[in-house]
Amino acid sequence: MSSTRDDQALTSLLDLVPVVPVVVVDRLDQAVPVAQALAAGGLPVVELTLRTPVALDAIRAIADEVPEVAIGAGTITQPADAEAALAAGAQFLVSPGATATLVGAMRDTGLPFLPGTATVSEVMQALELGCTELKLFPAEVVGGVGLLKAIGSVLPAARFCPTGGITAATAATYRALPNVGCVGGSWLTPTDALAAGDWDRVTALAAEASGRVVEAAR
Ligand code: 3PG
């Protein structure tokens, strides 16, 4: 882990951790403990999705109270999301898809960001916009490992964080691809574990994922 809040820039989002936890927080009081639990399991990076009313406050709470965690905002779908995430203290941005307008807005924040792509043409458009580090989403639905291999042969400049349908069992296969830096997923933070405050389970899942993926792929 090369990055903390004290770093001026997260130079490569894809090389921070092998697995980026994609987190949906329903209650604000879940934010700090889930971030702490993931860090305790060896994954001090959180992509907190803007999918619930408390998401921006959750980002702010983690930014303020869990400095060892690099906190990012996921599900950035419009320019205003990028600005709001920056204001809340997000250190990086992730979008499920990308338009030139959205890429411009994310770039304007000065934060590192991963635009979402799902096809060869979308990867080409992202490269045209100067983005070489991308999200592939929803990875399993759009072709997964096979698609990434095909893209790698024609667009080797693009590197990916695939997310969407990836599990502890498949993460290492993705990570072994030369054009994949890390994978993302929500399996580390099950809804029922967050609802129950079962932080030990989150830590155990994070420890399993970080150890397993690193061991198998590196
Ligand atoms: C994302 O936003 O990256 C996805 O929701 C994560 O996909 P998953 O829930 O299938 O892991």
Side-chain angles (χ1 to χ4, degrees), residues 11-211:
T11 49
S12 176
L13 288 173
L14 302 184
D15 298 323
L16 298 177
V17 285
V19 180
V20 174
V22 177
V23 180
V24 178
V25 165
D26 290 314
R27 297 195 327 256
L28 185 55
D29 65 1
Q30 298 167 338
V32 165
V34 77
Q36 291 171 331
L38 289 164
L43 297 178
V45 176
V46 170
E47 177 193 328
L48 201 141
T49 58
L50 302 189
R51 297 182 199 173
T52 61
V54 300
L56 287 170
D57 285 336
I59 289 170
R60 192 172 292 110
I62 294 169
D64 288 345
E65 298 178 43
V66 197
E68 67 272 27
V69 163
I71 176 68
T75 322
I76 300 284
T77 61
Q78 47 193 340
D81 293 337
E83 294 158 20
L86 174 68
Q91 293 176 276
F92 64 91
L93 306 174
V94 185
S95 65
T99 66
T101 305
L102 187 61
V103 166
M106 291 196 287
R107 183 170 279 140
D108 284 348
T109 66
L111 298 175
F113 60 94
L114 295 178
T117 59
T119 68
V120 173
S121 289
E122 289 174 9
V123 174
M124 290 170 67
Q125 287 165 2
L127 290 170
E128 278 186 10
L129 294 170
C131 304
T132 56
E133 299 203 333
L134 308 170
K135 168 166 167 155
L136 181 77
F137 177 81
E140 283 286 292
V141 174
V142 299
V145 167
L147 177 60
L148 285 161
K149 284 182 181 172
I151 291 174
S153 66
V154 292
L155 300 170
R159 292 181 73 226
F160 293 90
C161 174
T163 80
I166 297 174
T167 67
T170 59
T173 306
Y174 278 93
R175 274 268 295 163
L177 298 174
N179 58 347
V180 170
C182 60
V183 301
S186 62
W187 81 87
L188 309 161
T189 52
T191 307
D192 60 337
L194 267 63
D198 189 352
W199 310 124
D200 287 348
R201 184 171 163 213
V202 172
T203 295
L205 287 166
E208 179 191 29
S210 58

